[in-house]
Amino acid sequence: MRYPILNIWTDAVSMAEALQKVSDFVDHGDRPHTIFATNPEKNFSVPADPFLYNCFKNADLLLPDGIGMVLGAKILHGAQISRVPGCEFMQETCALSARQGYKIFIYGAKEEVNKKAVEILEERLPGLQVAGRCNGYWPEDQMDMLVDKINESKAVILFLALGSPKQEKWFARHQDKLKHIRVCQGIGGTLDVITGTVKRAPEIFCKLGLEWFYRLLAEPRRIKRQMVLPVFAWQIFMTKIGFRK
């Protein structure tokens, strides 16, 4: 079920249910299906861009990535859902792909990060078929060549590590040319986490829903981005008591 949370949405799915959707999309789909992550920050950035807003509105699966979306769903709709972090979901999808024989393609991040991430995933997951990869600095005027490369790989799952909103817009512009892709997930900085370039929050922070706070402590410059969090919380409260529609 899809819940509206202020200006965007999130789907009520567990990790297992989201992975089942991946299998269904690959095994029975006849087109690329999109998987994007939702969080409080995107509640403000997505509606500000009509093209991006449409990308999210038409997504096949919107993961409740941020704890704010989970709490928003509970407060506004009484929904009991749990976080499905995009970073973890990407790696679980790779594990699923190794078991099921799905070929994957990874596009994005710096060359050294992309290459190292693929090596780590292949080492962790015997049987994983990385049919192709490309860093995120492919020339814009040669994008058709990249699409051809993805098609020639016959990968059925595409991970876009371009950051938001670039990854969502890339998919929207090129989806009709992807011949074999059945699942496309925007994974942002996940490759940096896999390679250790960016440290993930300790488990205790993740369990308490305070991963955002840990990242703020580790990267104080994120304060400008995270200043929207109290605004998001206030708008949730005002919506709940009926002062905001």
Side-chain angles (χ1 to χ4, degrees):
M1 184 172 181
R2 178 160 294 182
Y3 292 106
I5 310 295
L6 299 182
N7 301 317
I8 56 174
W9 317 264
T10 198
D11 288 328
V13 290
S14 64
M15 179 70 77
E17 290 168 339
L19 288 171
Q20 182 59 54
K21 285 185 176 292
V22 170
S23 290
D24 292 341
F25 292 155
V26 172
D27 295 339
H28 307 295
D30 58 1
R31 62 173 177 81
H33 295 77
T34 47
I35 301 176
F36 298 144
T38 61
N39 58 46
E41 293 175 21
K42 291 180 180 178
N43 179 70
F44 299 94
S45 61
V46 170
D49 184 329
F51 187 85
L52 182 61
Y53 182 83
N54 195 55
C55 292
F56 270 78
K57 184 178 181 180
N58 294 319
D60 294 282
L61 181 59
L62 293 174
L63 300 176
D65 179 81
I67 188 63
M69 303 304 285
V70 171
L71 295 176
K74 181 178 181 179
I75 293 169
L76 298 179
H77 305 288
Q80 298 296 324
I81 65 176
S82 57
R83 284 188 68 209
V84 181
C87 177
E88 294 178 15
F89 184 71
M90 181 268 184
Q91 295 174 76
E92 290 295 332
T93 298
C94 286
L96 172 68
S97 299
R99 295 192 299 270
Q100 298 295 108
Y102 300 151
K103 292 182 179 181
I104 71 171
F105 194 105
I106 301 178
Y107 166 42
K110 296 179 180 178
E111 172 62 22
E112 60 269 25
V113 172
N114 186 296
K115 183 174 184 293
K116 185 178 179 182
V118 168
E119 292 172 352
I120 291 172
L121 288 169
E122 289 179 328
E123 182 178 351
R124 288 179 184 171
L125 302 168
L128 180 65
Q129 300 181 61
V130 182
R133 68 171 191 86
C134 178
N135 66 58
Y137 296 87
W138 190 272
E140 189 63 36
D141 61 357
Q142 297 179 30
M143 205 54 69
D144 284 344
M145 292 176 60
L146 173 60
V147 172
D148 288 341
K149 183 177 180 180
I150 295 171
N151 288 335
E152 289 167 5
S153 76
K154 295 186 178 180
V156 294
I157 296 178
L158 172 63
F159 295 111
L160 297 177
L162 303 173
S164 185
K166 186 176 179 180
Q167 58 199 18
E168 292 88 358
K169 291 185 176 182
W170 187 95
F171 176 81
R173 293 189 179 107
H174 301 286
Q175 59 179 315
D176 293 338
K177 295 177 284 186
L178 298 170
K179 296 180 180 179
H180 305 288
I181 297 298
R182 292 296 175 263
V183 171
C184 179
Q185 182 191 354
I187 62 172
T190 295
L191 302 185
D192 291 300
V193 175
I194 291 173
T195 60
T197 306
V198 173
K199 298 296 183 182
R200 184 112 192 261
E203 187 175 355
I204 185 62
F205 281 83
C206 296
K207 285 185 175 180
L208 293 174
L210 294 174
E211 189 171 2
W212 63 270
F213 183 62
Y214 175 85
R215 294 183 69 184
L216 178 59
L217 294 177
E219 303 175 66
R221 67 178 184 275
R222 292 177 62 88
I223 185 64
K224 289 185 178 180
R225 290 176 56 184
Q226 295 191 346
M227 284 178 66
V228 301
L229 296 180
V231 178
F232 176 83
W234 174 251
Q235 290 185 356
I236 289 287
F237 171 72
M238 295 299 285
T239 301
K240 178 63 176 179
I241 64 176
F243 280 89
R244 183 184 186 279
K245 294 183 178 181

